[in-house]
């Protein structure tokens, strides 16, 4: 298997690991209108109170999101340890606007995107592709509308994101990448310290259908600042993904992921500070014109999100593409 094909395989698994937040399509994203995706497991200690987002008009949140991954890929030719290019995204969410129903609508824009890797870590022939691939995401994005429990009501991409050279599925994942860590789904019931709840999601990550379960534990609450522990699990059934232009088919035989971390969220902000680490394993068959090869991938990864909440006058408003 060529290094380029192996790199493509690793990048696909990277998406499965760190971009856990995209619904199957725009309609399925409206989880606030369907069955409640959140189940309360333990109410926690007294006193108990509701957890609700209270986002003021004009609120804007700037985010830095860093993804770092180390993989051990094993093929018939042997094992190869690699550091998959990490990604650093600088994003702006907002300004927040209230809808007639009281939900919160805000734009999401990628200010800059760049690969993260040490000098000499990537083959020369891949470096330019990586930088150009990351750069196409600059200044594109979309918008989201959520209720006061963080459940998605609607979302879409802006016009800049719909250019022919933009990977649309990747953009949707990036807009929603913060679902697990920075936009926590809150329970309907009143809860206290020690409370536990579960959020289930059906995701499409880089074309693969994945089931995700997030378990949250309330560690503390001081005013509008809430500290949580999160434990996430992903699983996927066998399925196939084709890259027609490259002549590559990837058959996913199995995939599983476990991650845990800590979230400190401000209920008045459009994001949270978070840090999570995890491990995953996947078995794939990669088919090209040269033949088929089985690949086993064991991976460790780290995700870090830091946020800054700005006053409305400090950041220029983002333009919404729909009314």
């Amino acid at each position: 298997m060529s290094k380029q094909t192996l790199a493509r395989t690793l990048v696909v698994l990277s998406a499965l690991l760190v971009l856990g937040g995209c619904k199957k399509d725009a309609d399925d994203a409206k989880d606030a209108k369907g069955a409640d995706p959140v189940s309360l497991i333990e109410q926690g200690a007294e006193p108990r109170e509701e957890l609700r987002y209270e986002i003021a008009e004009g609120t804007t949140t700037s985010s830095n999101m860093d993804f770092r991954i180390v993989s051990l890929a094993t093929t018939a030719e042997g094992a190869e340890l690699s550091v998959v290019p990490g990604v650093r995204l600088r994003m702006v969410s907002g300004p927040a606007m209230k809808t007639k129903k009281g939900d919160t609508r805000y734009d999401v824009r990628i200010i800059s995107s760049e690969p993260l890797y040490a000098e000499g870590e990537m083959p020369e022939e891949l470096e330019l592709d990586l930088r150009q691939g990351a750069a196409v995401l600059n200044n594109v994005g979309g918008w989201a509308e959520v209720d006061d429990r963080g459940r998605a009501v609607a979302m879409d991409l802006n016009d800049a994101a719909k250019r022919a050279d933009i990977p649309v599925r990747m953009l949707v994942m990036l807009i929603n990448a913060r679902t697990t860590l920075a936009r926590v789904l809150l329970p309907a019931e009143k809860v206290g310290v020690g409370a536990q709840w579960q959020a289930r999601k059906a995701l499409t990550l880089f074309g693969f259908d994945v089931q995700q379960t997030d378990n949250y534990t309330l560690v503390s609450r001081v005013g509008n600042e809430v500290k949580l522990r999160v434990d996430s699990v992903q699983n996927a059934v066998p399925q196939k993904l084709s890259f027609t232009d490259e002549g590559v088919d990837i058959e996913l035989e199995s995939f599983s992921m476990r991650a845990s971390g800590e979230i400190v969220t401000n209920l008045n902000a459009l994001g949270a500070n978070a840090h999570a680490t995890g491990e995953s394993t996947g078995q794939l068959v990669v088919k090209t014109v040269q033949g088929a090869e089985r690949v086993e991938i064991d991976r460790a990864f780290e995700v870090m999100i830091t946020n800054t909440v700005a006053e409305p006058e400090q950041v220029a408003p983002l333009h919404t593409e729909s009314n």
Side-chain angles (χ1 to χ4, degrees), residues 42-64:
E42 171 61 48
Q43 249 188 312
E46 296 281 3
R48 299 177 182 135
E49 54 188 332
E50 290 183 342
L51 295 179
R52 296 292 184 269
Y53 292 106
E54 297 180 7
I55 311 298
E57 289 268 357
T59 297
T60 301
T61 302
S62 300
S63 305
N64 284 339

Side-chain angles (χ1 to χ4, degrees), residues 22-275:
C22 177
K23 303 297 180 181
K24 288 186 178 180
D25 53 48
D27 290 332
D28 288 342
K30 300 175 183 178
D31 54 22
K33 293 184 177 180
D36 196 332
V38 181
S39 301
L40 185 66
I41 299 172
E42 171 61 48
Q43 249 188 312
E46 296 281 3
R48 299 177 182 135
E49 54 188 332
E50 290 183 342
L51 295 179
R52 296 292 184 269
Y53 292 106
E54 297 180 7
I55 311 298
E57 289 268 357
T59 297
T60 301
T61 302
S62 300
S63 305
N64 284 339
M65 305 173 64
D66 287 1
F67 305 136
R68 298 181 185 276
I69 304 170
V70 177
S71 296
L72 178 64
T74 305
T75 69
E77 299 175 357
E80 180 175 344
L81 182 67
S82 64
V83 179
V84 178
V87 178
R88 171 167 291 160
L89 300 175
R90 293 183 174 88
M91 306 175 70
V92 171
S93 301
M97 297 177 289
K98 287 296 183 182
T99 68
K100 293 180 179 179
K101 295 182 179 179
D103 296 324
T104 300
R105 180 186 173 114
Y106 56 94
D107 291 336
V108 180
R109 179 159 55 102
I110 301 171
I111 303 302
S112 67
S113 174
E114 59 186 30
L116 295 176
Y117 55 87
E119 186 176 352
E121 202 168 51
M122 289 292 112
E124 270 186 34
E125 62 270 21
L126 291 181
E127 286 192 18
L128 182 58
D129 288 342
L130 290 172
R131 291 193 175 278
Q132 289 178 338
V136 299
L137 299 176
N138 294 349
N139 297 312
V140 296
W143 60 269
E145 185 177 326
V146 298
D147 67 8
D148 62 359
R149 290 176 51 205
R151 299 178 301 171
V153 176
M155 60 185 61
D156 199 1
L157 301 173
N158 62 15
D159 286 345
K162 297 174 182 177
R163 301 196 316 261
D165 62 330
I166 298 295
V168 174
R169 284 181 299 180
M170 179 64 76
L171 275 177
V172 177
M173 288 187 289
L174 291 176
I175 290 172
N176 295 279
R178 300 176 304 168
T179 297
T180 298
L181 295 175
R183 183 170 63 84
V184 176
L185 297 182
L186 304 175
E189 300 85 353
K190 293 183 178 181
V191 293
V193 172
Q196 298 180 26
W197 62 93
Q198 185 177 87
R200 293 182 177 273
K201 309 179 184 75
L203 315 175
T204 295
L205 306 182
F206 216 100
F208 287 117
D209 292 332
V210 178
Q211 298 297 318
Q212 178 169 318
T213 302
D214 301 319
N215 291 286
Y216 298 101
T217 301
L218 178 58
V219 177
S220 65
R221 177 177 183 177
V222 179
N224 289 314
E225 187 171 275
V226 177
K227 185 176 181 179
L228 302 162
R229 176 176 176 80
V230 60
D231 295 283
S232 297
V233 176
Q234 286 182 355
N235 289 286
V237 298
Q239 50 201 289
K240 179 180 177 180
L241 182 64
S242 296
F243 297 92
T244 306
D245 292 343
E246 294 88 345
V248 177
D249 290 332
I250 300 178
E251 294 182 0
L252 182 67
E253 294 186 337
S254 65
F255 172 79
S256 63
M257 181 277 292
R258 291 184 178 275
S260 61
E262 183 177 276
I263 302 169
V264 179
T265 186
N266 184 334
L267 298 176
N268 300 139
L270 292 171
N273 295 321
H275 178 256

